[in-house]
Amino acid sequence: MRAERSADILADASVSGLPIPLFYDGYEVKAIDAPFGGLRSRGRAALRYGYRTMKRAQPYTGFYTALRNLIRSLEEVGCRPSLNDFRGARANPTRPVGLSGFPGVYDKVRLDNPAIFGPGYVPPPAEVEARMQASNIKIMTHPSQWPCEFYREVLGDRIQPLFVGIDTELWPDWSALPKSVDCLIYDKIRWHTDERRAEVIAPIIRMLERRGLSYHVLRYGEHHLAQYRTMLGRSRSLIFCTEHETQGLAYQEAMSAGVPVFAWDDGVLVDPREIPMAPAGLKVSAVPYFDARCGVTFTRHDIEERFETFWSALGSFRPRDYVLDTISLRHGAARYLELYTRLL
């Protein structure tokens, strides 16, 4: 059904050439509603990128990476996105705009244009209605279905899942490259780190060593993107270890590169800020976009058993097919336009 809806949206002649004003405020780009604001923002962004690259730190946050993917998605299907064009938005006050980024965007972008929000920071349920009204946001989004459930009682259908498409050219199929590492362990454990690493990462390492399998550990925030790309090209598989993800670009980029994923997915909410707000019975996920083509999931209690299933079937997985069929740039653009055109 998703593929059919995507085809219908992209076949609509009115979509081709559609201008889509986007506004982002974050660490990389600032939404500056003032003369020469764009020039000042670009200069700051260039300095930050150079500094973080020199320090071999991640140059972009997840929100900005998602925005860049959204822009590429829209361009690929013939739309004309712009970024932080306040003058253009005010000249066309009925044209919907897209807001994204960190909390500052709500205060820095106050326009009469109807807006869709995402990707970016969504305020807590108790604050979200006021934020939406102040910025004329008609549709609020989260990257997948499970985080939307936090807001269902307050927002109803005004909260919608909106994934960001994966650039399958930027992350090409590397499955045929020579492999020197059996398992690339991606450690994105964020809470109770010592305890969870002892319960998840350490047993995995002991298991791999008993089996004589090679591995390399990358810790989130402590590696450069280029290092991740290099290691993916050398790795037969990705072991993805995080408590839960609203989308999870890193594991999806691995799938685009043809790397099968063994993913920790206990289904338990851990973020202490979100636990008090969670609706009863909420089931979360570390891999919200995933099926049998992608790999295998496991919990803390069945690592060995599930890994045996995963490793014995390693050559049969087709994770890139899932990305192409479900969360590619074109599918991401189609989903965004499906929501955006509701505001036209």
Side-chain angles (χ1 to χ4, degrees):
M1 285 297 293
R2 175 177 290 165
E4 292 174 5
R5 290 198 303 270
S6 297
D8 289 343
I9 288 286
L10 299 182
D12 187 341
S14 65
V15 165
S16 181
L18 185 67
I20 301 182
L22 301 175
F23 292 84
Y24 175 91
D25 188 79
Y27 294 96
E28 304 86 352
V29 174
K30 295 295 183 182
I32 304 175
D33 187 7
F36 307 106
L39 182 63
R40 290 157 55 190
S41 177
R42 287 190 294 273
R44 181 185 182 280
L47 289 172
R48 183 181 187 275
Y49 180 85
Y51 174 77
R52 292 187 66 82
T53 298
M54 180 182 66
K55 302 289 283 185
R56 298 196 63 77
Q58 290 279 24
Y60 300 137
T61 60
F63 287 159
Y64 190 62
T65 298
L67 173 72
R68 284 161 55 88
N69 281 22
L70 173 60
I71 290 172
R72 286 196 291 270
S73 291
L74 295 171
E75 290 174 339
E76 181 166 299
V77 300
C79 296
R80 295 185 291 114
S82 59
L83 186 61
N84 290 348
D85 181 6
F86 286 92
R87 180 182 297 179
R90 288 197 175 96
N92 298 276
T94 61
R95 178 174 294 157
V97 301
L99 273 59
S100 63
F102 288 79
V105 72
Y106 295 101
D107 297 319
K108 294 181 179 180
V109 184
R110 297 290 179 89
L111 298 164
D112 294 331
N113 308 65
I116 175 175
F117 185 89
Y121 168 81
V122 180
E127 303 171 18
V128 69
E129 186 73 69
R131 288 288 200 177
M132 289 178 69
Q133 290 183 11
S135 297
N136 203 20
I137 296 169
K138 305 301 183 184
I139 299 175
M140 182 67 74
T141 73
H142 250 305
S144 61
Q145 187 62 50
W146 75 259
C148 288
E149 296 309 311
F150 281 88
Y151 300 86
R152 192 67 63 202
E153 183 176 346
V154 176
L155 299 180
D157 288 341
R158 288 181 295 159
I159 182 75
Q160 290 287 330
L162 174 66
F163 65 91
V164 174
I166 301 300
D167 189 336
T168 54
E169 292 185 6
L170 182 63
W171 299 91
D173 187 355
W174 290 329
S175 58
L177 291 180
K179 305 297 183 179
S180 58
V181 176
D182 291 315
C183 302
L184 176 60
I185 302 172
Y186 193 90
D187 175 1
K188 196 182 177 181
I189 296 175
R190 290 164 288 182
W191 298 282
H192 315 297
T193 53
D194 290 343
E195 178 184 351
R196 290 296 181 263
R197 283 175 179 151
E199 292 177 342
V200 179
I201 303 293
I204 288 173
I205 289 175
R206 289 195 296 268
M207 174 187 68
L208 296 178
E209 290 177 344
R210 283 198 309 272
R211 290 171 173 262
L213 297 177
S214 58
Y215 63 89
H216 183 88
V217 180
L218 285 182
R219 287 207 165 119
Y220 176 76
E222 298 180 12
H223 67 276
H224 194 273
L225 180 62
Q227 184 183 9
Y228 181 53
R229 288 174 61 84
T230 298
M231 291 307 304
L232 272 183
R234 296 175 181 172
S235 300
R236 293 182 177 86
S237 68
L238 178 76
I239 300 180
F240 187 64
C241 297
T242 191
E243 298 89 345
H244 38 73
E245 288 283 339
T246 55
Q247 176 157 350
L249 292 175
Y251 86 86
Q252 293 166 5
E253 289 161 350
M255 295 196 311
S256 178
V259 179
V261 176
F262 186 57
W264 175 34
D265 196 21
D266 271 353
V268 177
L269 184 66
V270 181
D271 187 341
R273 299 166 300 179
E274 295 181 341
I275 289 174
M277 304 182 294
L282 178 70
K283 182 171 176 58
V284 307
S285 179
V287 283
Y289 295 94
F290 200 84
D291 71 11
R293 289 171 289 179
C294 305
V296 171
T297 61
F298 68 94
T299 72
R300 281 172 287 169
H301 309 296
D302 61 7
I303 295 173
E304 296 258 4
E305 174 188 344
R306 298 295 286 167
F307 186 80
E308 178 62 35
T309 300
F310 173 70
W311 199 249
S312 64
L314 191 66
S316 67
F317 297 116
R318 296 292 180 267
R320 184 172 173 84
D321 288 352
Y322 175 88
V323 174
L324 290 169
D325 291 346
T326 311
I327 53 172
S328 68
L329 287 183
R330 288 182 65 80
H331 287 291
R335 176 57 177 162
Y336 192 87
L337 291 169
E338 181 185 343
L339 298 177
Y340 181 87
T341 53
R342 295 182 189 181
L343 305 183
L344 292 174

